[in-house]
Amino acid sequence: MAEGTVCGTEGQEPSETISKVSYGAASELTMNGAIMEKASSLERHVYHPLIRPLRRLIADRQGVDLAYHIRDGRARRCTLGFPYRLEFSMVKREWYLLWYNPRYKRMMSTKLRQIASVQTVPLTEEAAGQYAASMTALLEAHKEIVEIEVVRMYNRELSRILYAFSCFEKKVEYDAETSGYRIRLTVLSDEREYLLSKIRFLGMRVRVVSGIHLQQRMYETATNALARYGE
């Protein structure tokens, strides 16, 4: 998602940072799904001074007057935004604010270090509910279902395979007739490349059986790799 721009447009972040895992209940940063972690590991998180005020705005369902910079350094300001969620990239070790721009009806993502100022804008409960519903709808529209088949000879490594996909919402199905496992992953469109990196890491253990975009990308990368060795 872009830095203060429409998702999938100028300033789009590399997708290896996109996969998300909710904080556990024991984390002091947990706020009913308001804060999520990307590409999780057990490393200590980098603190940012805007986390606390933004977390409070998200919890209180208040609006925000946001001044920020985009990638080329130009200043931008949104006098009414709806802060939806904080996200942390373990790859880039940076915090992002996922927010809704009511004026353009767009989902935005901005690095905290690029935010110059944050001011509270009071919202009615009705307006907050409408903005939250709009964000939920936008996120749902960016989701797709990908089905991964575990190659049967690697069934014993199911735990390892599931761990590789731990950042994604998933459902595991077992077919008694074939003794095979299938994993259904729910993936955002800008998480595809990160998912591909996990599939490549697992190698021959898994196969993409649905999700045409991922199948095409796997074919392209495999073909390119073989071409290098065939030269």
Side-chain angles (χ1 to χ4, degrees):
M1 284 172 284
E3 303 168 11
T5 57
V6 187
C7 295
T9 60
E10 177 187 5
Q12 186 171 5
E13 289 301 316
S15 55
E16 71 269 19
T17 67
I18 301 301
S19 278
K20 307 176 186 73
V21 177
S22 298
Y23 277 100
S27 171
E28 67 175 357
L29 293 178
T30 300
M31 190 63 70
N32 296 325
I35 301 177
M36 300 188 77
E37 182 178 345
K38 301 178 180 180
S40 171
S41 76
L42 297 179
E43 297 181 41
R44 188 177 182 85
H45 302 149
V46 176
Y47 180 76
H48 192 283
L50 284 177
I51 291 175
R52 190 177 297 275
L54 287 171
R55 182 180 64 174
R56 179 52 54 194
L57 286 172
I58 293 169
D60 293 343
R61 292 165 64 89
Q62 294 299 298
V64 63
D65 182 332
L66 198 65
Y68 58 96
H69 295 87
I70 58 177
R71 179 173 292 180
D72 62 8
R74 287 179 294 169
R76 290 286 185 269
R77 183 178 179 184
C78 176
T79 56
L80 175 58
F82 181 70
Y84 185 77
R85 187 166 69 207
L86 288 167
E87 297 177 345
F88 183 75
S89 165
M90 287 301 298
V91 175
K92 291 183 172 293
R93 297 187 63 78
E94 285 201 84
W95 283 97
Y96 293 76
L97 173 66
L98 187 65
W99 56 286
Y100 179 68
N101 188 324
R103 180 179 180 182
Y104 297 106
K105 299 181 179 180
R106 293 170 177 172
M107 179 169 56
M108 320 286 276
S109 181
T110 305
K111 295 178 181 180
L112 295 200
R113 65 179 175 85
Q114 292 182 324
I115 296 177
S117 67
V118 172
Q119 297 182 34
T120 303
V121 177
L123 290 179
T124 64
E125 186 59 33
E126 180 182 3
Q130 291 176 350
Y131 297 155
S134 296
M135 276 296 293
T136 300
L138 287 170
L139 286 170
E140 287 297 322
H142 282 78
K143 287 183 179 180
E144 64 175 298
I145 302 298
V146 176
E147 195 165 346
I148 307 292
E149 181 181 72
V150 178
V151 176
R152 190 167 57 181
M153 65 182 295
Y154 294 104
N155 279 359
R156 293 182 179 180
E157 298 188 39
L158 181 63
S159 295
R160 176 185 179 182
I161 294 168
L162 292 177
Y163 181 78
F165 298 133
S166 60
C167 294
F168 301 97
E169 179 184 339
K170 59 187 173 295
K171 179 180 179 181
V172 181
E173 299 175 350
Y174 176 72
D175 188 333
E177 293 184 2
T178 63
S179 300
Y181 290 94
R182 288 202 174 190
I183 307 167
R184 293 173 60 86
L185 303 174
T186 301
V187 184
L188 293 175
S189 58
D190 50 8
E191 295 175 337
R192 290 170 179 164
E193 293 300 319
Y194 180 74
L195 175 57
L196 278 171
S197 71
K198 292 295 186 180
I199 295 172
R200 295 188 194 105
F201 169 76
L202 292 170
M204 297 177 62
R205 297 172 180 82
V206 297
R207 183 170 67 93
V208 181
V209 294
S210 73
I212 187 64
H213 177 82
L214 284 177
Q215 289 175 324
Q216 290 174 343
R217 289 288 292 119
M218 284 299 295
Y219 180 82
E220 290 170 5
T221 55
T223 300
N224 291 338
L226 289 172
R228 294 190 193 100
Y229 289 99
E231 293 176 354

